[in-house]
């Protein structure tokens, strides 16, 4: 449910050519069924001439409600179509959980 809401919002805001939203909560110290940790791969030319920090802030802004209501972590991979092509469709693996189970987040 949360994953689908994230997808819907990101589709509307960034019109990506490629979007993957993966629930990685199972890899973390959270109760079963939690939807609190996500990896997002988003390819959009909306990111042209934006630095990574600006791209991430844009995504956080779009997902502010979800971050306030239980999404604890986002592993963001934000690329333009050109950058994505140059990476040959490879994405870094999300970092390992450090054992935190708190559900508060800051932007």
């Amino acid at each position: 449910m949360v994953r689908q809401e994230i997808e819907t919002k990101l589709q509307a805001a960034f019109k990506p050519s490629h979007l993957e939203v993966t629930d990685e909560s199972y890899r973390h110290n959270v109760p079963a069924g939690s939807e609190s940790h996500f990896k997002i791969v988003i390819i959009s030319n909306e990111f042209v001439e934006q630095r990574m920090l600006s791209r991430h802030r844009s995504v956080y802004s779009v997902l502010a409600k979800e971050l306030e209501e239980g999404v604890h972590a986002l592993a963001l991979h934000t690329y333009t179509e050109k950058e994505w092509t140059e990476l040959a469709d490879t994405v870094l693996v999300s970092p390992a959980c450090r054992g935190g189970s708190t559900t508060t987040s800051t932007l």
Side-chain angles (χ1 to χ4, degrees):
M1 187 91 152
V2 174
R3 184 188 59 76
Q4 187 168 352
E5 185 66 24
I6 289 171
E7 286 180 1
T8 300
K9 286 185 172 187
L10 293 176
Q11 285 284 355
F14 299 103
K15 298 167 188 56
S17 60
H18 179 80
L19 176 63
E20 294 174 42
V21 179
T22 306
D23 184 351
E24 296 188 324
S25 302
Y26 69 93
R27 297 181 59 209
H28 300 273
N29 184 22
V30 296
S34 294
E35 290 184 285
S36 57
H37 295 70
F38 292 89
K39 177 167 82 173
I40 297 172
V41 179
I42 183 168
I43 314 324
S44 174
N45 280 334
E46 298 288 320
F47 298 135
V48 171
E49 297 189 24
Q50 287 186 14
R51 294 179 183 221
M52 184 175 23
L53 183 58
S54 178
R55 296 173 187 189
H56 289 200
R57 284 181 177 153
S58 296
V59 171
Y60 292 142
S61 176
V62 168
L63 301 178
K65 179 179 177 248
E66 288 72 18
L67 289 163
E68 289 175 9
E69 295 179 354
V71 171
H72 176 69
L74 299 175
L76 298 177
H77 304 275
T78 56
Y79 305 103
T80 65
E81 290 181 31
K82 181 179 183 229
E83 291 167 340
W84 183 246
T85 301
E86 290 170 356
L87 285 172
D89 298 332
T90 60
V91 176
L92 300 174
V93 183
S94 297
C97 179
R98 293 190 173 186
S101 62
T102 180
T103 60
T104 59
S105 65
T106 58
L107 297 179

